[in-house]
């Protein structure tokens, strides 16, 4: 079991490399990965089940302990990213499928990788986990409504069908995970240590399936989609940080909100797009998954260095004062 834990830890810490590697492989050799397409939804269900196993009472207590902070983060999540997506696909020339795909990933809740990035950035990790949990639980209601509001001018949208899909592939697995954890208690912890391996394998498989299934369209429009995804993600970080500043949150909370807003549950976006729209509509989510696992560590490093510089500042000033006296 210890060997499995070490492998799981290694794979989890090198997540971005695996996503990027298999994204390239599935583009170059699409026939080797298209067989995964029918399993996209079950794979996301496995990830969500794992999320249920990791949630604790403390995560929900945090919501009631500081509801204002969580509300700011959740509100930013479901306003900033959908609006940015709508503006980008309105301004830039894209096909209806790509427009809906970008909007769809923008309307998804935050991804669990945001919690890790917040921790690495020396941000408020407890707040990040609470925002992710609440936004994920609200997704069955908010995501379909937002997609209907912003995307219906490009393609027909069934909010009811989206609601049922999100309940099945997000809410039910999470509740099952919580139920299993409640029944087995501490016995679950042994299996939880292997979750990074399972989650990384599942998200890599989803990305590879989506890219292989739309390889020809991606070859034609990939650069444009990539540019939109990068803008969407980076502007999400900046505006999320701005929201934290606007509400005069401490620096650690600002970093948490920034990362929470910028990083999406792209696996959910890819799954919903594959089921309800087209393979091409799933491409923005797949590229988002690749890109935010590159940008996440970068923004976390910038924030961490910013915090370390701030922490060193007063001590250096004190040294200068004492040496002058």
């Amino acid at each position: 079991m210890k060997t499995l834990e070490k492998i799981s830890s290694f794979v989890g810490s090198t997540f971005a490399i695996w996503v990027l590697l298999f994204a390239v492989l599935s583009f170059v050799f699409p026939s080797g990965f298209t067989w995964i397409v029918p399993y996209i939804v079950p794979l996301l269900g496995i990830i969500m089940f794992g999320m249920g196993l990791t949630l604790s009472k403390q995560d929900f207590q945090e919501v009631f302990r500081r509801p204002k902070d969580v509300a700011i983060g959740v509100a930013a999540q479901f306003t900033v990213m959908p609006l940015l997506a709508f503006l980008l696909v309105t301004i830039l020339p894209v096909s209806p499928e790509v427009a809906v795909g970008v909007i769809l990933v923008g309307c998804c809740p935050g991804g669990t990788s945001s919690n890790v990035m917040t921790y690495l950035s020396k941000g408020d990790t407890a707040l990040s986990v609470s925002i992710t949990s609440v936004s994920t639980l609200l997704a069955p209601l908010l995501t379909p409504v937002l997609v209907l509001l912003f995307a219906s001018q490009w393609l027909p949208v069934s909010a009811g069908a989206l609601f049922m899909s999100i309940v099945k592939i997000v809410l039910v697995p999470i509740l099952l995970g919580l139920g299993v954890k409640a029944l087995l208690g501490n016995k679950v912890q042994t299996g939880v240590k292997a979750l990074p391996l399972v989650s990384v394998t599942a998200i890599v498989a989803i990305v590879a399936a989506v890219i292989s299934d739309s390889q020809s369209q991606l070859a034609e429009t990939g650069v444009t989609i990539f540019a939109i995804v990068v803008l969407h993600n980076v502007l999400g970080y900046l505006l999320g940080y701005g929201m934290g500043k606007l509400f005069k949150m401490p620096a650690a909370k600002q970093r948490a909100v920034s990362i929470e807003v910028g990083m999406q549950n792209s696996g959910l976006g890819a799954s919903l797009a594959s089921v309800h729209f087209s393979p091409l509509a799933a491409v923005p989510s797949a590229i988002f998954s690749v890109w935010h696992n590159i940008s996440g560590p970068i923004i976390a490093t910038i924030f961490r260095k910013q915090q370390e510089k701030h922490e060193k500042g007063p001590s250096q000033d004190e040294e200068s004062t004492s040496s002058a006296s």
Side-chain angles (χ1 to χ4, degrees):
M1 194 65 194
K2 287 185 178 179
T3 304
L4 183 61
E5 287 174 23
K6 287 179 181 179
I7 294 170
S8 183
S9 177
F10 171 74
V11 171
S13 63
T14 54
F15 189 11
I17 296 170
W18 297 109
V19 174
L20 186 59
L21 173 63
F22 279 90
V24 172
L25 286 173
S26 60
F27 181 81
V28 177
F29 307 107
S31 59
F33 298 91
T34 48
W35 64 271
I36 305 172
V37 173
Y39 303 102
I40 289 176
V41 170
L43 285 167
L44 183 65
I46 291 168
I47 296 170
M48 293 296 101
F49 177 75
M51 181 180 178
L53 289 177
T54 59
L55 289 175
S56 65
K57 288 181 182 178
Q58 187 177 349
D59 299 329
F60 296 103
Q61 287 170 350
E62 199 72 20
V63 177
F64 297 104
R65 195 170 69 84
R66 39 180 177 168
K68 182 183 175 183
D69 293 340
V70 176
I72 290 168
V74 173
Q77 175 69 54
F78 285 117
T79 54
V80 170
M81 293 305 271
L83 285 169
L84 274 177
F86 179 76
L87 288 172
L88 287 170
V89 298
T90 301
I91 295 167
L92 299 171
V94 292
S95 68
E97 290 84 1
V98 171
V100 170
V102 172
I103 290 170
L104 184 53
V105 73
C107 296
C108 285
T112 52
S113 52
S114 62
N115 308 148
V116 179
M117 294 306 127
T118 300
Y119 172 76
L120 294 175
S121 74
K122 291 194 171 183
D124 192 329
T125 308
L127 176 61
S128 176
V129 172
S130 296
I131 294 171
T132 300
S133 303
V134 173
S135 66
T136 301
L137 292 174
L138 289 175
L141 292 174
L142 295 183
T143 296
V145 171
L146 290 168
V147 174
L148 179 65
L149 178 66
F150 290 112
S152 55
Q153 64 176 288
W154 280 280
L155 290 175
V157 175
S158 172
L162 284 171
F163 168 79
M164 289 307 299
S165 288
I166 299 172
V167 167
K168 289 175 185 175
I169 63 181
V170 174
L171 199 56
V172 171
I174 287 176
L175 292 175
L176 283 173
L178 286 168
V180 169
K181 185 174 182 179
L183 285 171
L184 300 181
N186 293 332
K187 294 177 183 177
V188 171
Q189 295 308 311
T190 306
V192 165
K193 292 175 182 177
L195 278 178
L197 177 60
V198 176
S199 297
V200 169
T201 302
I203 197 66
V204 165
I206 290 171
V207 170
V210 169
I211 290 177
S212 65
D213 199 34
S214 52
Q215 191 260 7
S216 57
Q217 299 102 315
L218 189 55
E220 294 174 11
T221 59
V223 175
T224 304
I225 301 173
F226 184 78
I228 290 172
V229 165
V230 170
L231 277 171
H232 195 193
N233 174 240
V234 172
L235 290 172
Y237 289 140
L238 293 173
L239 291 176
Y241 192 76
M243 287 282 280
K245 275 193 169 296
L246 179 67
F247 288 96
K248 298 179 180 179
M249 295 175 117
K253 293 180 182 179
Q254 290 174 20
R255 291 193 289 274
V257 173
S258 171
I259 293 172
E260 198 62 37
V261 171
M263 299 187 79
Q264 300 294 90
N265 187 337
S266 48
L268 176 60
S271 300
L272 294 175
S274 299
V275 172
H276 296 281
F277 298 104
S278 70
L280 183 57
V283 169
S285 291
I287 294 178
F288 203 108
S289 185
V290 176
W291 170 250
H292 82 183
N293 282 294
I294 296 170
S295 68
I298 293 171
I299 193 74
T301 301
I302 292 169
F303 281 152
R304 186 176 69 250
K305 287 185 176 179
Q306 184 185 59
Q307 177 62 22
E308 288 170 351
K309 185 178 179 182
H310 176 74
E311 289 169 354
K312 289 177 183 176
S315 61
Q316 288 174 346
D317 292 341
E318 287 169 12
E319 286 173 14
S320 301
T321 305
S322 62
S323 61
S325 60

